Amino acid sequence: MTIPTQMRHVTFDTPGAPEVMQFTTGPVPQPQPGEVLVKVAAAGINRPDIQQRKGAYPPPPGASPILGLEAAGEVVALGEGVTAWRIGDHVTGLCNGGAYAEYVAIPAGQCLPWPAGFDAIQAASLPETFFTVWANLFDLGRLTPGESVLIHGGTSGIGVTAIQLATAFGAKAYATAGSAAKCAACLDLGAAGVINYREADFLADIKAMTEGAGVDVVLDMVGAPYTNRNLQALKRGGRLIQIAFMQGTIASDVDLLPIMVKRLTVTGSTMRPRTAAEKAAIATSLHNVVWSWLEAGTVRPVIAATLPWSDVAQAHQLMENSTHVGKIILNLG
């Protein structure tokens, strides 16, 4: 196919509300050595996109300033040295920015094939949450079959992925959610128990659900106000994995004694600053373990809404309202 020199993409002049985003025309990126150029068919919406739009999460040096961290589409050009992909391949990729556009350049190692039977919308829902959950729950969190995990925000994109992957891996997943309907959705995805955090104390309930034992891992995106209870919810040798701070980073009056007494590990990570080699290693693990689960239906994408990319402001507003269950996808087709 003939690749144009110009493309449409989403931009914003100053940080602000969803309405600051607009469409403009700019040059099609040229794939650098080790990259593929993808004609985007669908792109996922993620919390870091919201933070970047607000001016709170600037892209790292060398990354595209265009919003968007995951995209699915067709490979249309290869950078020097790329041998794993061919022009015409359908890929889904973890982008270093740039997915809210007609074309995006992605490091080849951060791309994966569409699982068999998947379309662009389903494929675009995978990279950001699957890379994040694998890296944090299984690499950092060292979750093993037979262990248990408490997942906060069970109906977020991260949450629905973590519940399913933990369960498929042979662990027992518990979750928190903010309504009866969301709790039911978590149970439908395989959670062993769900706590409505608006109506109950999650610490008391997780202790009751585990007969006082607590859990091996807590995966948290809330932050400061949950810290004390997260530490208390862990078993001896437990791991608290912090992946976001939606309600703040400064935790006051935290009792640190459980860390020593129970030999706990407190850690966390972000995905975007990782090297291409680190992200490629995660992609390999996902392909080796998780892609067969997706193709067999053991794990499935959960898509709350698909909107035309002309409605990108509405998609961001939907994400900020937090009424959805699963992923929000922009359709560029």
Side-chain angles (χ1 to χ4, degrees):
M1 65 173 292
T2 301
I3 302 171
T5 59
Q6 298 287 302
M7 68 174 185
R8 294 183 71 219
H9 65 86
V10 175
T11 188
F12 58 94
D13 294 329
T14 57
E19 291 73 24
V20 301
M21 292 183 293
Q22 55 189 297
F23 286 88
T24 191
T25 300
V28 171
Q30 298 299 306
Q32 299 303 301
E35 293 183 338
V36 295
L37 182 66
V38 175
K39 186 179 190 323
V40 179
I45 304 287
N46 293 282
R47 292 282 176 186
D49 304 344
I50 307 299
Q51 295 303 104
Q52 183 176 337
R53 190 205 73 225
K54 291 180 176 180
Y57 192 53
S64 171
I66 298 172
L67 291 168
L69 298 176
E70 60 187 348
E74 180 183 349
V75 175
V76 295
L78 305 175
E80 180 183 347
V82 174
T83 58
W85 301 106
R86 295 181 298 178
I87 291 174
D89 284 346
H90 287 149
V91 300
T92 184
L94 183 72
C95 309
N96 300 333
Y100 292 13
E102 291 179 310
Y103 294 87
V104 61
I106 311 174
Q110 293 167 210
C111 293
L112 288 156
W114 294 6
F118 276 45
D119 60 20
I121 302 299
Q122 294 168 312
S125 75
L126 302 175
E128 176 67 15
T129 57
F130 278 72
F131 274 70
T132 299
V133 170
W134 187 269
N136 287 283
L137 199 54
F138 299 103
D139 288 347
L140 276 181
R142 309 187 307 279
L143 186 69
T144 59
E147 288 193 321
S148 56
V149 55
L150 173 61
I151 300 157
H152 291 300
T155 55
S156 66
I158 294 291
V160 299
T161 301
I163 290 170
Q164 293 188 85
L165 291 189
T167 302
F169 201 67
K172 184 172 286 189
Y174 300 93
T176 61
S179 70
K182 287 187 173 185
C183 287
C186 292
L187 292 172
D188 181 61
L189 290 167
V194 189
I195 302 155
N196 186 334
Y197 65 83
R198 299 184 190 277
E199 298 179 352
D201 175 9
F202 75 78
L203 176 60
D205 276 20
I206 198 63
K207 287 286 191 178
M209 290 176 179
T210 59
E211 299 180 339
V215 294
D216 297 287
V217 179
V218 174
L219 185 67
D220 182 48
M221 60 187 75
V222 177
Y226 276 18
T227 305
N228 253 330
R229 286 178 288 168
N230 283 337
L231 295 176
Q232 294 177 61
L234 287 166
K235 294 179 180 179
R236 183 178 300 274
R239 290 83 75 191
L240 169 58
I241 314 297
Q242 203 72 51
I243 58 170
F245 299 99
M246 293 179 65
Q247 293 187 26
T249 61
I250 308 300
S252 58
D253 298 321
V254 174
D255 182 2
L256 300 177
L257 187 61
I259 298 176
M260 291 179 60
V261 172
K262 296 192 287 185
R263 298 195 296 271
L264 305 179
T265 298
V266 179
T267 186
S269 74
T270 56
M271 183 57 60
R272 199 168 189 184
R274 291 173 185 253
T275 66
E278 290 173 322
K279 294 173 184 175
I282 297 168
T284 297
S285 295
L286 288 170
H287 191 255
N288 289 342
V289 179
V290 176
W291 249 232
S292 62
W293 295 344
L294 287 163
E295 293 177 346
T298 306
V299 175
R300 58 185 172 88
V302 180
I303 299 173
T306 302
L307 293 84
W309 76 315
S310 57
D311 292 340
V312 62
Q314 182 182 340
H316 271 225
Q317 189 62 62
L318 180 60
M319 171 71 77
E320 292 190 67
N321 290 344
S322 295
T323 58
H324 61 290
V325 175
K327 296 285 296 187
I328 301 167
I329 305 297
L330 296 177
N331 185 356
L332 279 72

